[in-house]
Amino acid sequence: MERPSTTTVPRAGAARGATAATIEEVAARAGVSRSTVSRVLGGGDRVSPAALESVRRAIDELAYVPNRAARSLASRQTLAIALVVPEDTKRFFGDPFFAAIVGGINGRLASTEYLLNLFIASGDPGDKTSNYLVGGNVDGALIVSHHASNTFLERIHRAVPVVFGGRPVAADGSGYYFVDVDNVEGGRIATRYLVERGHRRIATITGPLDMAVGSDRLQGYREVLAEAGLPAGPAENGDFTVEGGAAAMARILAAGDPPDALFVASDLMARGALGVLQAHGLRVPGDIPIVGFDDSPVATEIAPRLTTVRQPSREQGEAMTDVLLARLAGEEPPRATLLQAELVIRETA
């Protein structure tokens, strides 16, 4: 007997071992065209509420799973986005900044088909990370916490659409897309607050100066002191870590003539500096007030609670993702997006 030439639609609740449903079967079950199902799978744009509900119900009944591999081949897309962090794992998992950034990125991608792939690539030994990313395995990349020495990032930048979190150190204003916090103004805000309270010997603990974030916060500190007619105080690199902040504070105290106030360019470093000051019998804020930077959870975990400059890290992750998604959609977003910092006054200053 000859088989009928109609599409067979499996019954709802088919056994797990049955042949997977196709997009044509979903369309037949929903009573719509194949293109309507495709639009629903792509996000539901330009589909009536009734058709949207019918397609979603058919997908559930047929246990339909989109064939991502086939769709990717057809569109030449991987539907993967890389987050590249040129730091070691201790730094990545120990700094709340990264958790906030990832939270913002993941929140934005949740409503898309893109998957986030994380690459912790300190130095990229053997070009393992860059070889993978330039080999057509991702559609684009987000890069945060980059240093001037991370030359492998330029190879990724030439191969796929990239958005940097923070201004690239070597950026000349052309060819780069980035989302940054106004770190120069953040350094100014912190230092101005201390100057306005009568402090005249203000030291600073900086982040790495081969990163724009480190040099920009130092620049803001120096600008305010110069405008106030005050000399720049001691400046020591704390490497954005608790241990580095403690070591930098110890060096400042060992040099003699301790400062009467301190601007620390991250909350983690401020935590380390606070411990050293307390160990030396110095009161905070009584003897040396401190202003940090980040407004991370660390700021409220220490005692006294840290006065700090808030940087909108989660919002930065969201904005980076928006810019990259716009680029992947063929749009032309702004190359530079600058977010504002603000002072959060607590107990250390």
Side-chain angles (χ1 to χ4, degrees):
M1 184 173 63
E2 185 179 356
R3 292 180 180 270
S5 59
T6 58
T7 300
T8 301
V9 181
R11 61 181 176 83
R16 180 176 294 274
T19 303
T22 67
I23 192 171
E24 288 79 8
E25 291 167 348
V26 172
R29 173 65 64 91
V32 299
S33 67
R34 187 185 191 283
S35 62
T36 297
V37 177
S38 295
R39 286 196 293 271
V40 171
L41 294 173
D45 293 340
R46 306 186 311 279
V47 178
S48 70
L52 181 62
E53 176 59 29
S54 295
V55 172
R56 287 176 173 171
R57 185 167 56 249
I59 288 172
D60 289 342
E61 292 173 352
L62 299 176
Y64 172 73
V65 177
N67 188 337
R68 182 179 297 273
R71 294 168 61 196
S72 295
L73 284 171
S75 64
R76 298 181 182 271
Q77 288 182 306
T78 67
L79 297 176
I81 287 176
L83 171 60
V84 183
V85 184
E87 300 286 3
D88 58 31
T89 53
K90 182 179 179 181
R91 176 76 59 85
F92 179 79
F93 289 106
D95 192 332
F97 165 77
F98 295 112
I101 283 279
V102 172
I105 294 168
N106 200 53
R108 276 293 193 265
L109 291 180
S111 60
T112 75
E113 291 190 281
Y114 286 100
L115 296 173
L116 183 64
N117 296 337
L118 173 63
F119 297 83
I120 303 175
S122 179
D124 194 23
D127 295 327
K128 182 166 64 175
T129 296
S130 53
N131 282 342
Y132 182 83
L133 297 182
V134 304
N137 294 297
V138 299
D139 294 333
L142 303 165
I143 300 174
V144 298
S145 198
H146 40 282
H147 301 251
S149 59
N150 299 139
T151 54
F152 74 93
L153 297 177
E154 188 61 31
R155 186 179 177 215
I156 300 171
H157 177 254
R158 291 194 301 266
V160 299
V162 166
V163 177
F164 289 89
R167 176 175 58 83
V169 176
D172 60 0
S174 63
Y176 293 87
Y177 291 80
F178 65 89
V179 177
D180 200 5
V181 176
D182 191 343
N183 288 296
V184 174
E185 181 58 22
R188 291 176 60 87
I189 289 170
T191 310
R192 187 184 303 117
Y193 180 77
L194 294 170
V195 168
E196 288 174 348
R197 276 144 189 79
H199 302 291
R200 295 297 177 262
R201 297 191 316 280
I202 304 172
T204 185
I205 297 177
T206 76
L209 298 183
D210 66 342
M211 303 176 70
V213 60
S215 60
D216 285 355
R217 292 175 189 178
L218 177 61
Q219 177 184 334
Y221 157 84
R222 287 174 170 168
E223 286 179 356
V224 168
L225 292 181
E227 291 167 3
L230 298 173
E236 294 285 345
N237 177 7
D239 200 34
F240 285 148
T241 65
V242 174
E243 298 81 6
M249 189 73 254
R251 292 194 296 271
I252 291 172
L253 293 178
D257 191 22
D260 66 0
L262 181 65
F263 164 47
V264 187
S266 82
D267 293 348
L268 282 177
M269 295 191 299
R271 182 178 207 160
L274 177 63
V276 170
L277 291 172
Q278 292 173 334
H280 280 75
L282 295 169
R283 297 168 301 147
V284 177
D287 296 316
I288 301 182
I290 298 176
V291 177
F293 206 116
D294 288 334
D295 195 28
S296 67
V298 172
T300 55
E301 292 170 356
I302 60 178
R305 295 181 307 147
L306 187 64
T307 294
T308 187
V309 176
R310 178 181 181 269
Q311 66 166 343
S313 301
R314 184 181 180 89
E315 292 91 331
Q316 185 178 7
E318 293 171 345
M320 290 168 58
T321 309
D322 289 343
V323 173
L324 183 57
L325 291 176
R327 294 192 65 192
L328 294 176
E331 301 170 11
E332 183 53 49
R335 291 187 178 271
T337 302
L338 205 58
L339 307 178
Q340 298 305 306
E342 60 180 337
L343 186 67
V344 180
I345 300 173
R346 295 194 179 96
E347 299 168 349
T348 61

